């Protein structure tokens, strides 16, 4: 190993493209076999994680009890925010629900459509026109993280309220960042120093020569979530914590 | 996905530590099970690759015919340069060869030792003192890449000649970069523009919050290798190309 400490501290940046969708599609095209594709996630402090992308295709019997319980609360016409490859939407469709999947990744939308899901390219808070109204706004798979952070969440919640029927529910799963433990305490402290929420992740997904843009993913504490919802058009109706881990399910009512 | 194009184009850098060894040790401690650890390799143009680390623990019957043939040519006292977790050294020991493994990663050295290999922390070209002399200098698992590049290779070959007995062989595997194909042609062109060999990779291994330093790994064409060897204390005795791919085995004589 010939090391050269003087070599470029900042490498070239990967090309911005649909890295997440490329990974998802590669996994799906390989029959969603375990480790047929690897999702590499980079955090803006340099932390890197490599996950089995087949987790985006698991079926309800392999989810946590809490996630499955939350998923079963969906009723009426459903907007699946960040639907990915259809993990939640496909079994909802199988139960006869009407589902629209919303997903910024063109390749993930293609996969969802191949699986029979009515999926639309788009993201929060700038929802596409013509979605109609929904009885359930769903953010499963930790997609409460898409609230983005204390500064972004009001706009996201307002945009979702616009497509919510009176009395509609917003239900989804999130994760308490806890104290961060050894691996994340420094990141939490850095976040606080730069005026961000403790568990506000700035991450991107990398694949080959490509990357997604950096995006915000908020691991809110239940208290932080409650405070954000209190300022919105929604009411926090229930928050169920997973007894076995940091996850929780929140249900909001319009 | 809340994107913020203005957010930091250059993230914080990961902490320099034994990322390669951490991955190797995690895999070994999990019984070298497939995908028990993922090796993330980043190239300095932003390309990223995620590999199953259990490939560092495969046994000879799972190697390519060419790699196994090359490995069988080892004779006498062997210096295994870049021995990793002992993939080549363990079965050499089982055959009764005397092997010394050389490896810059402290955790990889620990794993090799656990497996019964006499492993030493060190790297080319600055070999540690007291290694003694060898009949075979081995650079398998593509470790001819450790020659580093046209500028670095003479120093590496000279250092290895110092620990080679008269008549000793240097044998190892390498890879022809070819024309690069769609994925690598831009990188090759960039390398040529900045005065490097076409297939000279500048890479680092990342794991969690840690990374190795950037290091040079040279995919030399057979012609480039021959030209480099011609200027050294070694003679190129044989170069066997893999009929099924870009790999080759080179044997040099002192």
């Amino acid at each position: 190993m010939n090391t050269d400490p003087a070599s470029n501290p900042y490498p070239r940046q990967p090309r911005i493209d649909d890295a997440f969708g490329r990974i998802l599609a590669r996994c799906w095209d390989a029959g969603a076999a375990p480790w047929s594709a690897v999702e590499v996630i980079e955090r803006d402090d340099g932390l890197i994680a490599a996950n089995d992308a087949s987790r985006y295709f698991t079926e309800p019997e392999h989810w946590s009890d809490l996630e499955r319980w939350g998923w079963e609360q969906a009723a009426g016409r459903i907007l699946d925010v960040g639907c990915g490859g259809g993990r939640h939407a496909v079994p909802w469709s199988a139960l006869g629900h009407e589902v629209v999947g919303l997903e910024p990744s063109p390749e993930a939308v293609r996969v969802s459509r191949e699986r029979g899901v009515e999926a639309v390219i788009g993201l929060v808070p700038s929802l596409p026109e013509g979605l109609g109204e929904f009885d359930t706004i769903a953010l499963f798979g930790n997609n409460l993280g898409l609230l983005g952070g204390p500064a972004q969440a009001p706009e996201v919640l307002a945009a979702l309220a616009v497509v919510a029927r009176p009395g509609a529910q917003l239900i989804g799963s999130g994760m308490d960042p806890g104290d961060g433990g050894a691996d994340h305490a420094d990141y939490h402290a850095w976040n606080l120093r730069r005026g961000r929420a403790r568990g506000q992740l700035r991450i991107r997904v990398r694949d080959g020569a490509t990357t997604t843009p950096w995006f915000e993913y908020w691991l809110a504490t239940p208290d932080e979530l409650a405070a954000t919802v209190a300022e919105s058009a929604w009411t926090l109706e229930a928050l169920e914590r997973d007894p076995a881990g940091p996850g929780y399910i929140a249900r909001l009512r319009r």
Side-chain angles (χ1 to χ4, degrees), chain A:
Chain A
M1 207 157 81
N2 295 296
T3 61
D4 175 13
S7 66
N8 57 345
Y10 297 113
R12 280 193 170 188
Q13 289 296 306
R15 173 168 50 82
I16 290 185
D17 200 344
D18 184 11
F20 175 68
R22 283 165 45 123
I23 295 164
L24 221 61
R26 199 161 63 241
C27 184
W28 177 247
D29 294 344
W35 294 104
S36 53
V38 180
E39 180 195 39
V40 173
I41 300 178
E42 185 181 29
R43 203 170 63 182
D44 67 340
D45 63 339
L47 186 83
I48 210 148
N51 303 306
D52 178 2
S54 74
R55 65 181 177 149
Y56 289 107
F57 296 101
T58 53
E59 295 180 356
E61 62 266 30
H62 297 112
W63 304 344
S64 75
D65 289 347
L66 186 66
E67 180 93 358
R68 195 170 52 250
W69 171 84
W71 174 82
E72 287 167 351
Q73 308 307 306
R77 188 163 185 256
I78 305 168
L79 179 65
D80 184 359
V81 179
C83 70
R87 175 170 44 169
H88 299 87
V90 167
W92 271 324
S93 297
L95 291 178
H97 290 292
E98 185 187 348
V99 190
V100 175
L102 184 69
E103 171 57 51
S105 155
E107 276 295 285
V109 165
R110 172 182 76 75
V111 170
S112 283
R113 287 180 179 164
E114 274 187 27
R115 303 183 71 199
V117 175
E118 181 188 342
V120 176
I121 295 180
L123 73 173
V124 289
S126 50
L127 299 176
E129 298 287 318
L131 288 175
E133 291 196 320
F134 298 89
D135 303 292
T136 298
I137 313 283
L139 295 103
F140 285 99
N142 284 324
N143 272 350
L144 285 174
L146 298 176
L147 294 177
Q152 298 87 340
E155 205 184 341
V156 175
L157 289 171
L160 293 174
V162 168
V163 295
R165 289 208 176 107
Q169 63 177 341
L170 184 158
I171 187 162
S173 52
M175 196 181 286
D176 189 330
D179 65 4
D183 285 349
H184 304 294
D186 281 357
Y187 188 72
H188 290 183
W190 185 39
N191 267 342
L192 293 174
R193 284 201 305 280
R194 53 184 177 157
R196 295 160 59 83
R198 210 153 47 90
Q200 198 179 343
L201 314 184
R202 182 171 287 155
I203 55 178
R204 60 182 180 180
V205 177
R206 293 179 65 166
D207 183 59
T210 69
T211 184
T212 64
W214 290 102
F215 63 97
E216 303 289 334
Y217 204 76
W218 186 21
L219 307 188
T221 66
D223 284 352
E224 287 174 324
L225 183 67
T228 291
V229 173
E231 302 293 316
S232 78
W234 300 87
T235 305
L236 182 58
E237 201 175 73
L239 193 141
E240 297 287 337
R241 302 190 70 131
D242 192 329
Y248 58 78
I249 296 278
R251 178 159 59 192
L252 284 51
R253 188 67 67 179
R254 176 74 174 89

